[in-house]
Amino acid sequence: MPQTETDTESATTAGAVTGADAATTADGANATDAETGTGTAPGTAPGTGSGLIPAPLRIDGPYRCAVRLGERTALAAAPGTEGTARWLRDTLGAAFALPLPPGPDDAADTLALTLDPDLPAEGYRLDAVTNWGVRIAGGSPAGVFWGAQTLRQLLGPHAFRRAPLAPGRGPVLPQQTIEDAPRFAWRGMMLDVARHFMPKDGVLRYIDLLAAHKLNVLHLHLTDDQGWRIEIARYPELTRTGAWRARTKIGHRASPLWDERPHGGFYTQDDIREIVAYAAARHITVVPEIDIPGHSQAAIAAYPELGNTDVIDTNSLEVWDTWGVNPNVLAPTDNALRFYEHVLAEVLELFPSPFVHIGGDECPKDQWKASATAQARIAELGLADEDALQSWFIRHFGRWLADRGRRLIGWDEILEGGGRAAPGGGTTELGLAEGAAVSSWRGYAGGIAAARAGHDVVMCPEQQVYLDHRQHASPHEPVPIGYVRTLEDVYRFEPVPPELTDEQAAHVLGTQANVWTEVMDSQQRVDYQVFPRLAAFAEVAWSRLPPPADRDHQDFGRRMTAHYARLDALGVDYRPPGGPHPWQRRPGVLGRPIDGAPPNV
Ligand code: ACM
């Protein structure tokens, strides 16, 4: 869309929702220009004029004429859009004291929600027209919901509050039309609730934060060496023993500091039902991760027979209190397979997600090398080595999930040790169950290999989108670990590697930012690492932008001015552009500030 200087000026004069302008316009305090203006400023580029993040595909406007939502504005919800209507009453209704009573969709002063099958499934069209109101049409209920997220952003930062600042005349937005649809179907964030538990309320809050950024997958890392966080009725010790640890290493594992307070917590099955339903109402899928065969010390502490009992005294193991890659992995026994089938059977009851994540990462093979039981299994199956044994373990659960209509997804180590179709069918040339997908975390290579072999891929390379990694080279970053990855670095991330053909690239379902919480012991610390970078990530995942070299970071930066005000209203403890507030620092706590460092602290 061409943009001249005049266009930009007109858009600004019209009270376009950028930065501080947004606040005044949304207050209604500065709406005169917009109300009386007769300008017909042509559209601006998708970003700047609107302050929207993620940037939409097309904006026609904003124009000088204003649209006001007020006490008498009705809400017309066509069949299939009732969920978004409820969400609008809960959010905009609360923020501006708008009753939004039901009404017909052809009256003036109406907020109308409809479905339009001609639009892309998650796409929407938003029309804001003076004296008429706002119309949001979606290609599906999800599309309507994403359109409602856009409307909330257009109404300024106060739309993100839970109660009005002051009784007012209702919010105002400029006349405009927005057409939008996402680039990727999988727009995810992984939250590690195993290393540090995030109580249920915090998870629900994160679901709202994902929705505000049009992200639609919450991958919950529910189990690890340091904690088991989901109630399994058949195996109560998993949470009785496995959900807490006696103490916790503070900072990198080389740090001498310990928090001597016991740490723990878990989600009951009713908590999980609530989380899943809350997410579904926001068109977000919760993908559970039960990590096998590595990262399993908490499970082994609860049920010692799951470990390699012929190598170590698994009865002496406790839930791990420090960080790193742990040697205590599951034994490749029938008992362990049945145990995890029973666990996963309960997981499937709770999570409707088509994908179930089984981890598969960082499984040291030392115990299997030393274990007569593991070696006997290798011989019995005619396998080449311990890597092939891991592949067999993963393939077992890939088939088990496929038999139940679900798809396995695992970290890219699940590609190791396979390398050929397994006897008995149901596997691909990489030795993975058909339909299995890969989370490519050690860079792009795993994702490229998987996509070339016809497997679906979620791109989440640690070099780009591990949000536990520090955001700046400054020593003031709290517990700095891993690579320096700034807001701009994340903004420039491209999920589809150029090596892939179009057909192979179609296997890139999307992308995901991963939040490992070894050095994040509170919600504030999680907020600090996640924001503002999740906003840049959301644009990568949603917006159809030119290749990274042409990505307009300056425009994104201008829109971030508006977005920081939204994050403030939401109460997000983000990293300020100038560096941490004094109270966000952790002086004296050792991180791992070595560029090029591996991710595990
Ligand atoms: C991972 O970061 N170990 C998947």
Side-chain angles (χ1 to χ4, degrees):
M1 203 173 291
Q3 185 177 342
T4 65
E5 266 181 36
T6 324
D7 295 341
T8 314
E9 277 171 16
S10 306
T12 309
T13 319
V17 185
T18 53
D21 279 356
T24 47
T25 307
D27 270 340
N30 190 28
T32 324
D33 274 359
E35 282 175 339
T36 57
T38 52
T40 51
T44 57
T48 310
S50 65
L52 291 172
I53 289 182
L57 265 182
R58 271 182 293 280
I59 302 181
D60 181 13
Y63 295 96
R64 286 178 176 228
C65 316
V67 184
R68 180 183 294 283
L69 304 182
E71 276 212 335
R72 286 203 299 279
T73 304
L75 181 52
T81 70
E82 298 88 347
T84 298
R86 202 173 309 124
W87 180 87
L88 282 166
R89 286 197 180 95
D90 285 351
T91 53
L92 296 189
F96 296 115
L98 298 177
L100 296 173
D105 70 359
D106 54 356
D109 198 5
T110 296
L111 173 49
L113 310 178
T114 56
L115 294 178
D116 178 350
D118 290 337
L119 293 170
E122 287 194 276
Y124 66 89
R125 177 187 163 102
L126 182 152
D127 290 295
V129 181
T130 306
N131 296 332
W132 191 242
V134 178
R135 257 85 187 137
I136 300 173
S140 67
V144 177
F145 184 71
W146 304 131
Q149 296 299 330
T150 294
L151 173 63
R152 191 188 196 189
Q153 292 201 1
L154 292 174
L155 294 176
H158 300 335
F160 291 81
R161 297 186 186 278
R162 295 190 197 196
L165 280 188
R169 293 190 298 156
V172 171
L173 73 159
Q175 177 161 319
Q176 61 195 293
T177 293
I178 295 176
E179 288 171 349
D180 201 6
R183 178 178 176 199
F184 292 112
W186 184 302
R187 307 180 299 278
M189 187 183 101
M190 186 222 69
L191 185 61
D192 168 13
V193 294
R195 269 48 176 273
H196 280 102
F197 179 62
M198 182 179 279
K200 180 187 74 176
D201 270 5
V203 176
L204 300 178
R205 173 177 175 271
Y206 257 88
I207 288 169
D208 280 326
L209 291 172
L210 296 191
H213 292 83
K214 300 190 175 78
L215 297 172
N216 68 347
V217 173
L218 174 63
H219 167 176
L220 274 185
H221 182 77
L222 288 164
T223 71
D224 215 302
D225 302 303
Q226 295 86 356
W228 183 284
R229 305 288 176 220
I230 175 173
E231 175 188 18
I232 299 295
R234 190 178 177 120
Y235 300 121
E237 286 305 324
L238 284 173
T239 43
R240 202 179 292 144
T241 298
W244 68 280
R245 55 183 180 259
R247 62 174 190 166
T248 300
K249 173 66 66 178
I250 304 176
H252 180 257
R253 64 177 174 276
S255 152
L257 302 176
W258 292 96
D259 182 341
E260 295 292 348
R261 294 173 300 175
H263 175 87
F266 67 93
Y267 310 111
T268 65
Q269 296 204 347
D270 277 350
D271 290 341
I272 295 285
R273 289 185 183 96
E274 183 182 358
I275 288 169
V276 167
Y278 192 83
R282 285 149 184 79
H283 300 278
I284 291 174
T285 301
V286 185
V287 175
E289 179 182 350
I290 304 293
D291 206 338
I292 56 172
H295 288 284
S296 298
Q297 184 162 320
I300 299 169
Y303 292 93
E305 65 273 23
L306 292 173
N308 292 288
T309 53
D310 58 351
V311 180
I312 58 156
D313 174 16
T314 55
N315 286 302
S316 67
L317 288 180
E318 295 184 338
V319 177
W320 211 22
D321 54 14
T322 187
W323 318 119
V325 177
N326 185 309
N328 298 309
V329 304
L330 298 179
T333 57
D334 288 346
N335 175 54
L337 296 183
R338 297 294 92 72
F339 184 98
Y340 275 86
E341 288 169 7
H342 292 142
V343 167
L344 287 171
E346 293 191 32
V347 167
L348 296 195
E349 285 292 315
L350 294 167
F351 294 89
S353 163
F355 284 99
V356 174
H357 208 293
I358 49 69
D361 58 322
E362 297 177 322
C363 177
K365 305 297 185 303
D366 307 311
Q367 291 187 354
W368 289 355
K369 284 186 179 139
S371 160
T373 307
Q375 293 303 317
R377 179 68 98 180
I378 287 174
E380 168 206 328
L381 294 167
L383 299 175
D385 56 15
E386 292 76 20
D387 282 342
L389 186 60
Q390 150 133 345
S391 183
W392 165 82
F393 210 106
I394 300 297
R395 196 160 46 244
H396 174 85
F397 286 101
R399 285 181 176 148
W400 188 90
L401 286 167
D403 287 347
R404 285 152 187 81
R406 306 294 183 99
R407 294 174 66 185
L408 177 148
I409 182 165
W411 303 110
D412 55 57
E413 287 94 330
I414 68 171
L415 296 167
E416 290 168 3
R420 65 192 159 88
T427 64
T428 66
E429 62 185 85
L430 293 181
L432 285 177
E434 272 168 17
V438 170
S439 305
S440 190
W441 76 275
R442 292 177 298 178
Y444 289 100
I448 291 171
R452 284 185 173 150
H455 287 282
D456 286 341
V457 173
V458 174
M459 279 293 181
C460 49
E462 58 168 328
Q463 295 84 351
Q464 272 91 2
V465 285
Y466 266 35
L467 299 186
D468 50 332
H469 290 190
R470 62 206 165 119
Q471 313 189 53
H472 197 275
S474 152
H476 296 308
E477 287 303 304
V479 206
I481 58 165
Y483 306 108
V484 175
R485 289 299 174 258
T486 64
L487 179 64
E488 179 169 352
D489 291 332
V490 173
Y491 186 71
R492 295 199 185 285
F493 166 56
E494 171 50 45
V496 179
E499 295 93 315
L500 296 183
T501 64
D502 286 352
E503 194 185 334
Q504 292 161 351
H507 284 293
V508 180
L509 297 178
T511 180
Q512 183 170 289
N514 292 336
V515 184
W516 301 103
T517 59
E518 289 97 332
V519 297
M520 294 172 225
D521 56 2
S522 68
Q523 180 178 287
Q524 287 100 315
R525 279 288 291 124
V526 174
D527 276 10
Y528 181 91
Q529 292 303 129
V530 170
F531 291 100
R533 293 183 293 183
L534 196 73
F537 175 78
E539 185 142 316
V540 168
W542 176 279
S543 304
R544 280 171 209 277
L545 294 169
D550 305 330
R551 218 166 259 185
D552 189 346
H553 182 252
Q554 280 192 343
D555 178 60
F556 175 72
R558 280 191 289 275
R559 285 180 287 117
M560 274 307 293
T561 309
H563 203 66
Y564 281 119
R566 295 177 195 128
L567 297 178
D568 282 330
L570 281 165
V572 174
D573 219 344
Y574 57 82
R575 178 189 188 277
H581 293 298
W583 58 88
Q584 291 175 319
R585 298 179 189 168
R586 291 297 305 274
V589 179
L590 184 68
R592 193 173 185 176
I594 309 161
D595 210 10
N600 279 290
V601 292

